[in-house]
Tab-separated table of all heavy atoms in Angstrom:
chain	number	residue	atom	x	y	z
A	257	SER	N	92.590	108.952	112.936
A	257	SER	CA	92.419	109.780	111.736
A	257	SER	C	93.277	109.292	110.582
A	257	SER	O	93.772	110.043	109.769
A	257	SER	CB	92.771	111.244	112.049
A	257	SER	OG	94.096	111.281	112.503
A	258	TYR	N	93.455	107.944	110.531
A	258	TYR	CA	94.401	107.333	109.556
A	258	TYR	C	94.145	107.830	108.139
A	258	TYR	O	95.056	108.216	107.397
A	258	TYR	CB	94.369	105.812	109.652
A	258	TYR	CG	95.340	105.174	108.704
A	258	TYR	CD1	96.673	105.121	109.049
A	258	TYR	CD2	94.922	104.773	107.442
A	258	TYR	CE1	97.614	104.591	108.169
A	258	TYR	CE2	95.861	104.292	106.555
A	258	TYR	CZ	97.193	104.173	106.917
A	258	TYR	OH	98.112	103.701	106.023
A	259	GLU	N	92.892	107.772	107.688
A	259	GLU	CA	92.523	108.041	106.299
A	259	GLU	C	92.892	109.500	105.885
A	259	GLU	O	93.126	109.756	104.728
A	259	GLU	CB	91.066	107.732	105.986
A	259	GLU	CG	90.687	106.271	106.039
A	259	GLU	CD	90.363	105.753	107.430
A	259	GLU	OE1	90.733	106.442	108.428
A	259	GLU	OE2	89.798	104.658	107.519
A	260	LEU	N	92.848	110.390	106.890
A	260	LEU	CA	93.152	111.794	106.576
A	260	LEU	C	94.632	112.067	106.449
A	260	LEU	O	95.073	113.000	105.739
A	260	LEU	CB	92.603	112.715	107.695
A	260	LEU	CG	91.082	112.741	107.892
A	260	LEU	CD1	90.736	113.635	109.083
A	260	LEU	CD2	90.431	113.247	106.591
A	261	ASP	N	95.458	111.259	107.114
A	261	ASP	CA	96.890	111.573	107.252
A	261	ASP	C	97.812	110.754	106.352
A	261	ASP	O	99.019	111.126	106.245
A	261	ASP	CB	97.316	111.348	108.719
A	261	ASP	CG	96.640	112.392	109.647
A	261	ASP	OD1	96.448	113.533	109.224
A	261	ASP	OD2	96.322	112.014	110.790
A	262	PHE	N	97.363	109.659	105.771
A	262	PHE	CA	98.278	108.783	105.032
A	262	PHE	C	97.810	108.536	103.579
A	262	PHE	O	96.625	108.599	103.309
A	262	PHE	CB	98.414	107.451	105.780
A	262	PHE	CG	99.126	107.582	107.092
A	262	PHE	CD1	98.459	107.971	108.251
A	262	PHE	CD2	100.492	107.422	107.182
A	262	PHE	CE1	99.132	108.163	109.460
A	262	PHE	CE2	101.182	107.594	108.365
A	262	PHE	CZ	100.504	107.955	109.484
A	263	ILE	N	98.792	108.317	102.762
A	263	ILE	CA	98.578	108.026	101.309
A	263	ILE	C	97.762	106.713	101.199
A	263	ILE	O	98.055	105.748	101.846
A	263	ILE	CB	99.949	107.859	100.566
A	263	ILE	CG1	100.641	109.201	100.520
A	263	ILE	CG2	99.783	107.255	99.209
A	263	ILE	CD1	100.142	110.228	99.523
A	264	ASP	N	96.757	106.754	100.308
A	264	ASP	CA	95.857	105.586	100.166
A	264	ASP	C	96.090	104.922	98.809
A	264	ASP	O	95.690	105.483	97.779
A	264	ASP	CB	94.407	106.074	100.304
A	264	ASP	CG	93.442	104.952	100.236
A	264	ASP	OD1	93.821	103.816	99.936
A	264	ASP	OD2	92.231	105.184	100.494
A	265	PRO	N	96.660	103.707	98.791
A	265	PRO	CA	96.905	103.040	97.481
A	265	PRO	C	95.647	102.408	96.903
A	265	PRO	O	95.700	101.808	95.834
A	265	PRO	CB	97.939	101.995	97.812
A	265	PRO	CG	97.726	101.666	99.252
A	265	PRO	CD	97.159	102.888	99.914
A	266	TYR	N	94.502	102.506	97.595
A	266	TYR	CA	93.280	101.888	97.077
A	266	TYR	C	92.310	102.909	96.507
A	266	TYR	O	91.197	102.557	96.106
A	266	TYR	CB	92.583	101.088	98.223
A	266	TYR	CG	93.485	100.156	98.927
A	266	TYR	CD1	93.935	100.403	100.244
A	266	TYR	CD2	93.951	98.998	98.309
A	266	TYR	CE1	94.762	99.522	100.880
A	266	TYR	CE2	94.836	98.125	98.927
A	266	TYR	CZ	95.243	98.402	100.187
A	266	TYR	OH	96.072	97.510	100.862
A	267	LEU	N	92.651	104.227	96.519
A	267	LEU	CA	91.750	105.249	95.973
A	267	LEU	C	91.436	104.968	94.525
A	267	LEU	O	92.296	104.476	93.751
A	267	LEU	CB	92.467	106.597	95.988
A	267	LEU	CG	92.368	107.518	97.193
A	267	LEU	CD1	92.935	108.898	96.796
A	267	LEU	CD2	90.933	107.676	97.664
A	268	PRO	N	90.194	105.311	94.071
A	268	PRO	CA	89.958	105.221	92.624
A	268	PRO	C	90.928	106.172	91.945
A	268	PRO	O	91.271	107.192	92.506
A	268	PRO	CB	88.489	105.774	92.471
A	268	PRO	CG	87.970	105.999	93.865
A	268	PRO	CD	89.087	105.850	94.858
A	269	GLY	N	91.397	105.821	90.800
A	269	GLY	CA	92.414	106.674	90.129
A	269	GLY	C	93.815	106.211	90.381
A	269	GLY	O	94.755	106.629	89.667
A	270	VAL	N	94.050	105.386	91.419
A	270	VAL	CA	95.383	104.824	91.622
A	270	VAL	C	95.510	103.536	90.816
A	270	VAL	O	94.572	102.751	90.776
A	270	VAL	CB	95.604	104.500	93.142
A	270	VAL	CG1	96.896	103.755	93.345
A	270	VAL	CG2	95.530	105.773	93.986
A	271	ARG	N	96.649	103.418	90.072
A	271	ARG	CA	96.875	102.154	89.329
A	271	ARG	C	97.765	101.274	90.182
A	271	ARG	O	98.979	101.521	90.320
A	271	ARG	CB	97.484	102.440	87.973
A	271	ARG	CG	96.415	102.922	86.961
A	271	ARG	CD	96.954	102.986	85.571
A	271	ARG	NE	97.765	104.199	85.421
A	271	ARG	CZ	98.901	104.257	84.746
A	271	ARG	NH1	99.373	103.177	84.135
A	271	ARG	NH2	99.587	105.374	84.659
A	272	ASN	N	97.110	100.256	90.792
A	272	ASN	CA	97.788	99.452	91.820
A	272	ASN	C	97.786	97.971	91.361
A	272	ASN	O	96.718	97.362	91.228
A	272	ASN	CB	96.987	99.620	93.112
A	272	ASN	CG	97.551	98.853	94.284
A	272	ASN	OD1	98.468	98.039	94.125
A	272	ASN	ND2	96.988	99.056	95.453
A	273	PRO	N	98.985	97.401	91.129
A	273	PRO	CA	99.017	95.971	90.683
A	273	PRO	C	98.645	94.955	91.715
A	273	PRO	O	98.476	93.774	91.400
A	273	PRO	CB	100.500	95.787	90.321
A	273	PRO	CG	101.164	97.121	90.414
A	273	PRO	CD	100.339	97.994	91.277
A	274	LEU	N	98.480	95.354	92.984
A	274	LEU	CA	98.265	94.380	94.050
A	274	LEU	C	96.944	93.554	93.887
A	274	LEU	O	96.990	92.325	94.009
A	274	LEU	CB	98.329	95.098	95.408
A	274	LEU	CG	98.082	94.182	96.637
A	274	LEU	CD1	99.180	93.147	96.826
A	274	LEU	CD2	97.950	95.034	97.914
A	275	PRO	N	95.788	94.189	93.640
A	275	PRO	CA	94.552	93.372	93.582
A	275	PRO	C	94.638	92.259	92.524
A	275	PRO	O	94.243	91.110	92.829
A	275	PRO	CB	93.464	94.424	93.220
A	275	PRO	CG	94.004	95.705	93.686
A	275	PRO	CD	95.476	95.609	93.528
A	276	GLN	N	95.188	92.576	91.373
A	276	GLN	CA	95.328	91.558	90.300
A	276	GLN	C	96.284	90.442	90.740
A	276	GLN	O	95.987	89.246	90.579
A	276	GLN	CB	95.847	92.252	89.038
A	276	GLN	CG	96.246	91.318	87.910
A	276	GLN	CD	94.975	90.705	87.230
A	276	GLN	OE1	93.946	91.362	87.195
A	276	GLN	NE2	95.127	89.455	86.767
A	277	ALA	N	97.387	90.803	91.352
A	277	ALA	CA	98.369	89.764	91.815
A	277	ALA	C	97.720	88.866	92.856
A	277	ALA	O	97.935	87.647	92.863
A	277	ALA	CB	99.596	90.479	92.372
A	278	LEU	N	96.910	89.424	93.747
A	278	LEU	CA	96.246	88.615	94.790
A	278	LEU	C	95.220	87.680	94.137
A	278	LEU	O	95.078	86.524	94.569
A	278	LEU	CB	95.568	89.537	95.819
A	278	LEU	CG	96.510	90.195	96.842
A	278	LEU	CD1	95.709	91.188	97.674
A	278	LEU	CD2	97.140	89.139	97.731
A	279	GLU	N	94.534	88.205	93.133
A	279	GLU	CA	93.542	87.326	92.487
A	279	GLU	C	94.202	86.113	91.869
A	279	GLU	O	93.674	85.013	91.925
A	279	GLU	CB	92.836	88.168	91.377
A	279	GLU	CG	91.363	87.895	91.298
A	279	GLU	CD	90.670	88.876	90.366
A	279	GLU	OE1	90.667	90.075	90.736
A	279	GLU	OE2	90.170	88.455	89.311
A	280	GLU	N	95.401	86.348	91.287
A	280	GLU	CA	96.097	85.212	90.635
A	280	GLU	C	96.562	84.186	91.676
A	280	GLU	O	96.789	83.030	91.338
A	280	GLU	CB	97.309	85.768	89.822
A	280	GLU	CG	96.834	86.451	88.549
A	280	GLU	CD	97.878	87.310	87.899
A	280	GLU	OE1	99.088	87.161	88.218
A	280	GLU	OE2	97.504	88.123	87.025
A	281	LEU	N	96.782	84.602	92.923
A	281	LEU	CA	97.277	83.670	93.942
A	281	LEU	C	96.162	83.126	94.794
A	281	LEU	O	96.396	82.332	95.761
A	281	LEU	CB	98.293	84.390	94.828
A	281	LEU	CG	99.585	84.843	94.096
A	281	LEU	CD1	100.435	85.731	95.049
A	281	LEU	CD2	100.423	83.604	93.691
Side-chain angles (χ1 to χ4, degrees):
S257 58
Y258 182 81
E259 290 85 344
L260 295 177
D261 293 324
F262 291 85
I263 292 283
D264 182 353
Y266 308 109
L267 270 191
V270 173
R271 281 189 284 139
N272 181 353
L274 179 65
Q276 171 72 32
L278 283 173
E279 219 171 296
E280 286 165 16
L281 296 170

